[in-house]
Amino acid sequence: MRSPKDFFAPLAVGAPTPLREVPARPSRMIHFFDPSNPKMAAKVPEMVGTVDVLLGNLEDAVKAENKEAARQGLVDIAKATDLGEHTQLWTRVNALDSPWALDDLTTLVTEIGDRLDVVMVPKVQGPEDIHYVDRLLAQLEAKAGVTRPILVHAILETARGMANVEEIAGASPRMQGISLGPADLAADRRMKTTRVGGGHPGYLVRQDPEGGDVQGPRATYQQDLWHYTIARMVDACAMHGIFPYYGPFGDIADVVACEDQFRNAFLLGCVGTWTLHPVQIAIAKKVFSPSADDVAHARRVRAAMGDGTGAVMLDGKMEDDASLKQCLVILELADRLSANDPELAELYAEGSDA
């Protein structure tokens, strides 16, 4: 039986070399825009450098009559825009069972494949969907002479996809990451919520009655609907060396809840999130960048731990090899972000290893 990596075998002389390690480029915020919307398209050049990823959305947010205009709009934007070193260009194509997906991939790879970093595939049901996209990309890259492999990102939006998340994560060496799609997943699971991401006031635990008085006042605590799903997605991604992301938070006006949801995902291991409106960009940057205090603490632990063995007491807390591993995750992320963001580089430089 074939290994998943066989699906990325070069099909012609000059075809891409199979990947063995996913490029770890900062992608704290994946900012969506509709390439068929002239106002959104006009803002793209000024957003270069302010976001880690600009994503031309061709799927659900684009009306059927605008699909071809969105596809061509993305081609035009990619050809006309200098993305520089720090902003990636991604796209979300239409679902693989739609009448537009094949034309999306054929047009984008042959027209702007050299500028496109990642293809986001919606409603992925199982590894077979990734195998199909992988093989088609290899054919189109060979045809167009694209020498840099285009990566693949899956969206977790169905119960079947959730059940197959580990197989999806390992389906191809092209896999860059997986995002949670909470609205479609909620509908497919028949969850009783109409919210796009975030919690629900009805999903709660209630304090036990004091003294057996079940009629007395009892505090309630709202719970996170998505904790299990995100944690399982993170584990699947970590197992295969790819990156997990939170998806959309639909209530644009509720910036407090948006920040809370982003932070929950960050603490569980997500490296970034989608942003649907400019107001969410600053929130994503704040949440998915380690704080200066966390970086300074991680440096102190690294300095105190020496060769990483044993245990030390620091500020009254025990730090051991597991603590050091956690701190090295923070420091590696801070180093990557500092290389692209002078503001963060200056902030993190205020600390020291001493």
Side-chain angles (χ1 to χ4, degrees), residues 170-298:
S172 165
R174 287 184 189 269
M175 282 297 293
Q176 183 275 341
I178 300 177
S179 284
L180 173 67
D184 280 289
L185 182 54
D188 197 58
R189 284 173 165 173
R190 298 184 179 88
M191 293 169 65
K192 308 308 184 285
T193 177
T194 58
R195 299 182 175 204
V196 179
H200 191 287
Y203 191 71
L204 52 83
V205 293
R206 189 178 301 273
Q207 184 182 41
D208 285 347
E210 293 187 10
D213 180 12
V214 295
Q215 303 301 323
R218 296 157 66 181
T220 62
Y221 308 91
Q222 186 172 325
Q223 304 294 292
D224 183 3
L225 285 167
W226 301 107
H227 182 93
Y228 163 78
T229 303
I230 295 174
R232 185 172 171 191
M233 180 184 73
V234 168
D235 284 344
C237 289
M239 179 170 66
H240 289 284
I242 66 174
F243 303 113
Y245 297 79
Y246 186 73
F249 187 87
D251 191 345
I252 305 300
D254 193 347
V255 295
V256 174
C258 177
E259 181 172 338
D260 290 341
Q261 186 64 67
F262 286 0
R263 183 167 289 104
N264 287 347
F266 174 68
L267 291 172
L268 283 171
C270 289
V271 302
T273 188
W274 300 7
T275 54
L276 309 180
H277 186 278
V279 72
Q280 294 182 340
I281 293 173
I283 299 172
K285 179 177 179 179
K286 173 184 175 182
V287 170
F288 289 94
S289 303
S291 70
D293 288 344
D294 284 345
V295 173
H297 174 73

Side-chain angles (χ1 to χ4, degrees), residues 67-202:
K67 296 290 188 182
E68 293 185 7
R71 185 190 304 135
Q72 186 58 49
L74 181 56
V75 169
D76 295 341
I77 289 169
K79 289 181 176 180
T81 306
D82 181 4
L83 294 169
E85 298 180 10
H86 305 317
T87 297
Q88 303 174 56
L89 180 65
W90 294 18
T91 185
R92 178 170 73 167
V93 298
N94 285 283
L96 298 181
D97 59 356
S98 77
W100 304 287
L102 181 59
D103 286 342
D104 289 344
L105 291 168
T106 301
T107 300
L108 296 178
V109 176
T110 57
E111 293 281 337
I112 57 170
D114 58 334
R115 296 172 178 264
L116 197 60
D117 293 287
V118 176
V119 170
M120 185 180 279
V121 184
K123 301 175 180 64
V124 173
Q125 298 275 30
E128 66 278 4
D129 290 340
I130 303 301
H131 297 164
Y132 167 76
V133 173
D134 180 309
R135 210 60 194 264
L136 182 56
L137 286 175
Q139 292 173 319
L140 293 170
E141 287 168 343
K143 179 180 180 180
V146 177
T147 58
R148 177 176 56 89
I150 298 170
L151 303 183
V152 175
H153 184 107
I155 312 179
L156 195 58
E157 300 182 89
T158 69
R160 185 176 166 218
M162 182 66 202
N164 292 327
V165 66
E166 288 86 3
E167 290 81 4
I168 291 168
S172 165
R174 287 184 189 269
M175 282 297 293
Q176 183 275 341
I178 300 177
S179 284
L180 173 67
D184 280 289
L185 182 54
D188 197 58
R189 284 173 165 173
R190 298 184 179 88
M191 293 169 65
K192 308 308 184 285
T193 177
T194 58
R195 299 182 175 204
V196 179
H200 191 287

